Amino acid sequence: MPAKQGQGIGDALIRAGLDALREQGCAISFVLGHEAYYPRFGYSPDLAARFASPFAGPHFMAMMLDSDAPWPQGGRADYAPAFGR
Ligand SMILES: CC(C)(COP(=O)(O)OP(=O)(O)OC[C@H]1O[C@@H](n2cnc3c(N)ncnc32)[C@H](O)[C@@H]1OP(=O)(O)O)[C@@H](O)C(=O)NCCC(=O)NCCS
């Protein structure tokens, strides 16, 4: 709802989602989103660019969920099959 936007709710939801992924032991998170918004959480287009993907471009970003972990040299990123058709 527009009246609820810009109050930090989206920020809190994204941070809670990232915490949940860390608790599940996920190593890396990818996002397709606004290039001016997601870097504040740690997402980087430079990390995502190491991965071959149909989503390549400035809106395709990734972040290591352990900020001390080394960046992977490369790989491939796709949607899960249910979302990739
Ligand atoms: C995008 C959305 C989830 C953000 O949630 P929110 O609770 O309003 O965001 P927050 O209050 O945590 O953060 C506000 C920041 O987000 C930015 N922002 C909000 N919507 C944005 C958008 N569509 N694109 C880029 N930045 C956006 C604001 O400019 C603001 O930036 P600032 O902190 O530099 O001033 C929410 O505004 C929304 O649902 N928008 C309509 C649907 C939409 O655009 N969804 C995106 C689909 S990928």
Side-chain angles (χ1 to χ4, degrees):
M1 295 172 60
K4 297 290 185 184
Q5 293 175 11
Q7 299 175 30
I9 296 171
D11 185 291
L13 287 170
I14 291 165
R15 292 185 194 283
L18 292 171
D19 285 345
L21 290 176
R22 288 189 187 93
E23 286 171 15
Q24 293 171 35
C26 291
I28 188 169
S29 168
F30 294 87
V31 68
L32 274 177
H34 201 284
E35 63 213 81
Y37 185 61
Y38 285 93
R40 70 183 64 184
F41 304 103
Y43 284 98
S44 161
D46 293 338
L47 176 54
R50 295 183 175 209
F51 290 79
S53 170
F55 319 113
H59 293 89
F60 182 51
M61 292 167 266
M63 66 181 282
M64 302 305 296
L65 291 166
D66 173 356
S67 57
D68 294 329
W71 281 12
Q73 292 304 308
R76 178 164 182 87
D78 286 296
Y79 273 127
F83 300 99
R85 289 187 222 133

